[in-house]
Every structure is written in C-alpha cells, then in structure tokens.
Amino acid sequence: MNTPAHVIFAAAAFARPGDRRRTVAAVAGGLAPDLSLYLMVAVSLYLLGLDPGYVFGTLYFSEPWQQMFRIDNSFLVWGAGFALAWWCGARNGMIFGASGLMHLALDLPLHHDDGRPHFWPLTDWVFESPISYWDSAHHAGLVGPLEMGLSALLCGVLMWRFKSLRSRLAIAGLAGLQLAPLFIWGFVFAT
C-alpha cells in the first residue's frame, strides 16, 4: 500500500477525537515502517542527485537498504515493541505498535517482488505475493483503485469523527497525499 493509505487506515482504526497523544501515536505508527525508505530515497535523489532508476533498481535492493527494511518491517521487532509497551502499561506505545503491526499486515499480501523480510531476525525469507499494489503485471489495476476507494471512505469516516477544522485539514492533507503518488512517481520516473 502507499504510505498515506497506511496512515489513513491506522488513524481510522486507532485515532480518537479529543485524545491527541493517542492520535499522534496512531499516525506515527502507521508511518514508521516506511520512514527509512522515504529518508534514504530523499537523500539519494535530492542531496546526492542520484538517478531514480538507480535508486529504485539498485539501491532499494542493496544489502544496506535491505538491512534497514529487515529491522523496521519485522513483525517480531514491532511485536516486541508492542509487548514492551503493554508490559509497561504505555497505552499510546501500544497504539503506536498496533499501528505499525497493522501496516506490516497490510503490506505482506500486497508486494510481489519488492516485499520485505517481515520475520527477521528469525529468517530473511520474503513472501512473494501474487498481487501488488503498484505493479500492473500483478493486479495493481484492481488493487490500486480498491486502495484509493477504501482510503477515501476512511477519510470520510475520519471527517465525520473529527469535527475541528484543524483535524479536517489534516485529513484532507492525507487524502491529497494518497493521490500524490500518481503524480510523484510519474515525475520521478520521467526525469
């Protein structure tokens, strides 16, 4: 799934009006498993000036990048974090962990040849799903619109639940970011 969809889904599942810390934990947990990817891509493209084809065709699959993905996309690491938060009675830590685990659970079936080793450190095995959220050769033509539709529906639910203008602007921003990859990837790969 696209990262904004993960954040939207996590917010819909765990964020609550009037509980800012819980809402921040939900949003942050939905974002966190992809954060290293965004940081490494941004540095590679905009600070180092590397070609997008090299970044996504070579660096993405390189050992240093894959090691980072092993850590931040591991059900075991996220599960341990959730368990620690539960043991400490840290409710918002549990929300953060649950949002991260939800992110991984939604990613697992939606990556064909670009999946992550979700069960590291036990194994480096990567599930190669028959479907992909982005690869048209693996049903992205069905998955993409479904993701967009569910994201729009959940943004509507969030707008209904969160009444403040500030919250609604943030939700509208998330909806815009969910649409942005259609334009961003076209721009990145056109250059």
Side-chain angles (χ1 to χ4, degrees):
M1 286 175 53
N2 288 300
T3 305
H6 285 296
V7 175
I8 291 165
F9 280 54
F14 301 111
R16 297 292 179 266
D19 193 339
R20 184 180 181 141
R21 289 184 180 180
R22 178 184 175 126
T23 298
V24 168
V27 167
L31 172 65
D34 284 348
L35 191 57
S36 67
L37 171 64
Y38 280 89
L39 294 174
M40 292 186 297
V41 165
V43 167
S44 298
L45 293 177
Y46 302 112
L47 290 180
L48 301 177
L50 300 176
D51 178 71
Y54 176 71
V55 171
F56 292 102
T58 302
L59 287 180
Y60 180 92
F61 295 100
S62 70
E63 186 55 32
W65 284 40
Q66 290 300 310
Q67 184 56 45
M68 180 60 72
F69 301 153
R70 284 181 189 101
I71 296 166
D72 62 15
N73 280 263
S74 170
F75 279 111
L76 301 172
V77 170
W78 279 94
F82 179 87
L84 179 63
W86 174 78
W87 187 72
C88 293
R91 182 183 59 106
N92 292 326
M94 291 169 46
I95 296 297
F96 177 79
S99 293
L101 287 166
M102 182 174 159
H103 179 130
L104 302 184
L106 291 167
D107 261 358
L108 183 69
L110 297 175
H111 284 267
H112 174 67
D113 61 357
D114 62 338
R116 309 285 174 80
H118 289 296
F119 302 99
W120 181 87
L122 292 181
T123 179
D124 283 334
W125 173 78
V126 175
F127 174 64
E128 192 168 297
S129 176
I131 60 175
S132 170
Y133 77 97
W134 68 269
D135 186 349
S136 60
H138 298 283
H139 313 291
L142 297 172
V143 175
L146 182 62
E147 174 188 330
M148 290 291 181
L150 287 172
S151 294
L153 176 68
L154 292 175
C155 281
V157 168
L158 288 167
M159 289 279 197
W160 177 72
R161 285 179 22 204
F162 288 83
K163 305 296 185 193
S164 75
L165 176 62
R166 186 170 152 185
S167 295
R168 288 183 169 181
L169 288 173
I171 296 161
L174 270 176
L177 287 173
Q178 174 60 14
L179 291 174
L182 297 173
F183 305 104
I184 291 172
W185 294 123
F187 173 77
V188 165
F189 286 108
T191 58

